Amino acid sequence: MNQLALDLAVELAERLSVLIPMWIEQARKAGELTPEKEAEYQERQKAIFARASAQSQSQIANG
Amino acid sequence: MMRGNRSYGSYVVLVLCLCLAGCAGRGQYNPRTGVYDRDAFASEFVVTAEKLRATALEVFGALMEIERTHEEEFRKVNPGIHSFTEDVRAHGAEWLNGLTAAKSAYQAERTPERLTALNLQMAVVNAAVAHANRYLTPGGGGK
């Protein structure tokens, strides 16, 4: 991994160290997902695995 | 390099803590009746399962994409990365669907037996996330 990627990873980790305590606080207040949010999650899951499958198909086609 | 690994290690630990924090607010859903009760206390197990599932989806997505983009380089570093990522491609959706099914079953009827089944599915997904995170650290060796 090159230096640029490593620097980006470190910067990301530093930003997350600020964001994560905020997320934990939000999690304490969280309720169960509403049906609408559950449907949004299911759509995202479908999209992510469909994209992965398409990448695999295109790699097979390219050889 | 050490600094990067340590920072990423902290990130992974903190994300897992977030998943396992177990604190929850109000809002309870019953998929069998379709009723969402905004005043009822949420189950910390359901909230934890939903957060773990969302985290797992993002981690699996990142792993599948990064591994596909850098497959040749990763194979040289550790062939295990490819075989695990192929496992995620083949079974990741099943693992997440298993967790969703166990969560919905528990939400429909909150019995100790269904909670045990939910915990089992959370353990399956949690193990896969922990495995994937080993490969997403700088260096990507998973060693």
Side-chain angles (χ1 to χ4, degrees):
Chain A
M1 184 166 287
N2 64 31
Q3 189 59 43
L4 176 63
L6 184 58
D7 290 346
L8 286 172
V10 170
E11 189 182 327
L12 176 66
E14 283 170 355
R15 287 185 186 192
L16 285 169
S17 71
V18 176
L19 288 172
I20 286 171
M22 197 169 75
W23 292 344
I24 290 172
E25 186 55 34
Q26 287 171 354
R28 287 200 178 106
K29 296 174 185 165
E32 296 173 19
L33 291 184
T34 60
E36 294 77 20
K37 291 284 176 194
E38 179 68 29
E40 276 177 28
Y41 167 81
Q42 293 299 336
E43 284 303 310
R44 178 147 181 79
Q45 183 182 316
K46 267 188 216 161
I48 284 178
F49 280 95
R51 194 167 61 224
S53 174
Q55 282 174 334
S56 295
Q57 296 294 332
S58 115
Q59 195 171 58
I60 290 166
N62 293 332
Chain B
M1 180 62 88
M2 280 301 292
R3 184 179 175 218
N5 275 331
R6 235 191 340 262
S7 298
Y8 252 69
S10 307
Y11 159 57
V12 170
V13 168
L14 281 167
V15 168
L16 291 177
C17 286
L18 175 64
C19 291
L20 300 171
C23 298
R26 285 178 195 262
Q28 194 182 94
Y29 181 53
N30 185 333
R32 192 172 52 191
T33 60
V35 172
Y36 191 88
D37 184 344
R38 292 185 183 280
D39 294 323
F41 281 107
S43 157
E44 63 189 65
F45 299 104
V46 171
V47 172
T48 301
E50 288 170 345
K51 291 194 180 301
L52 172 62
R53 186 184 61 172
T55 303
L57 179 60
E58 298 307 320
V59 169
F60 293 166
L63 181 69
M64 290 188 290
E65 196 166 333
I66 292 168
E67 195 271 343
R68 185 57 85 214
T69 311
H70 301 285
E71 192 173 332
E72 285 309 309
E73 296 98 308
F74 283 178
R75 273 182 195 272
K76 287 176 199 157
V77 176
N78 182 351
I81 299 174
H82 180 69
S83 65
F84 176 69
T85 311
E86 284 294 290
D87 238 16
V88 172
R89 289 189 182 102
H91 304 292
E94 282 169 37
W95 300 334
L96 295 173
N97 291 341
L99 179 53
T100 297
K103 174 187 86 89
S104 299
Y106 178 67
Q107 285 178 299
E109 195 178 331
R110 299 177 191 234
T111 63
E113 293 76 19
R114 291 187 179 198
L115 179 56
T116 302
L118 175 57
N119 279 327
L120 182 66
Q121 291 301 321
M122 281 200 277
V124 169
V125 173
N126 200 35
V129 170
H131 200 141
N133 273 328
R134 283 170 48 202
Y135 296 136
L136 289 171
T137 53
K143 293 171 184 169

